[in-house]
Amino acid sequence: MSHFSCIWACKQITKAILRGSRSRYRSTFQKRVSLYFTRCYQPPRSVGFSSCLTESATQKLEDVYKYWSNKFLSHNIGEADVSANYIVAHVLGHKTIYNLDAHTLLNQTQVDKINELCHLRLTGMPVQYVLGEWDFLDLTLTMRPPVLIPRPETEELALLCIETLLNDIEIERPTVLEIGCGSGALSLSLLKKCPKLQVVAVDISPTACSLTQENARSLGLMDRICVIQGDFTSDKVQLELSRLSAFPLIVSNPPYLTTDELTGLQSEIKCFEDPTALDGGLDGLDIIKEIILKAPDLLMTNGHLWMEVSHQQPPLIAKLVQDSHNDICLIEVVKDLFGKDRICHFQKKETGKRK
């Protein structure tokens, strides 16, 4: 995201806060404003630039940062200054360089490590994979290709699920099902915020399941999560889930891009991230349809289903729900921080009371 698009996003969020039409989402919007300014936007600085990094005992932080920022820019690497910022800060043990003295001296070991990581970024590898970690809400998660990198919209999805768990579910020790856990970002953020929660997380990718477990162990949450590797739509996984108690909440960030949309993605996404975590089929709805069809058998009465989707899909999803003739109702569509319809909220109604 560019500085200008970040500013635009924050302005839209601020307008939504001031309108106050959805008071229960104010904290979500306010957190996103703070998070985006912290992560993405910092005022441009006039700092020195060396045309190359020479061998020496020490290098100034500002010179190393500007060298790689310009190097990335000349090689058409997206968000050149942000990438350089993250990499330099990471090597120095910080999240951003903007709270550091620009004249800080780096030793040769630090410069060599920065060079190593920046050369990986020059290949087009996303900065999250280069660093090997990324923040999701208040968690720092290990990242590894090709497991899908969590996006800001998914943080919003997590916040909405947390709000539902804390305010709308009266079970003392609820168990949540996540369909397509990836790095474990959603499941682990819910576990962190809800100490009595248990999670069952399903993913078709062995690599994703392994990464979820690794992140759970590093966060001390492994005892409250059960990871199932397999195809959610398969009879085997459905049988395994049916043996568990009905869930009060299901959450999913499923593949929702159309197959044609995949061809237009940035090369760093196409080359490094798992296409099966993105490709929703010809209409983008392959997995979404399966979730809508199977959710009533897995949810308890009045249970909630939260799902991230493409901004073009809510009308199609509303028709899918209507045509399914099951006990799932689409009760609201929540806009993302860019004002686009992004998150669908469903609820299972009592048999015969479906509207």
Side-chain angles (χ1 to χ4, degrees), residues 55-58 91-92 106-116:
E55 289 285 336
S56 66
T58 58
V91 172
L92 299 181
L106 312 186
N107 61 43
Q108 193 59 49
T109 300
Q110 292 170 323
V111 173
D112 289 344
K113 185 61 177 179
I114 290 168
N115 291 344
E116 176 189 339

Side-chain angles (χ1 to χ4, degrees), residues 185-199:
L186 271 170
S187 288
L188 299 176
S189 61
L190 301 190
L191 288 171
K192 194 72 173 179
K193 292 293 185 182
C194 306
K196 295 183 179 180
L197 183 69
Q198 302 278 333
V199 169

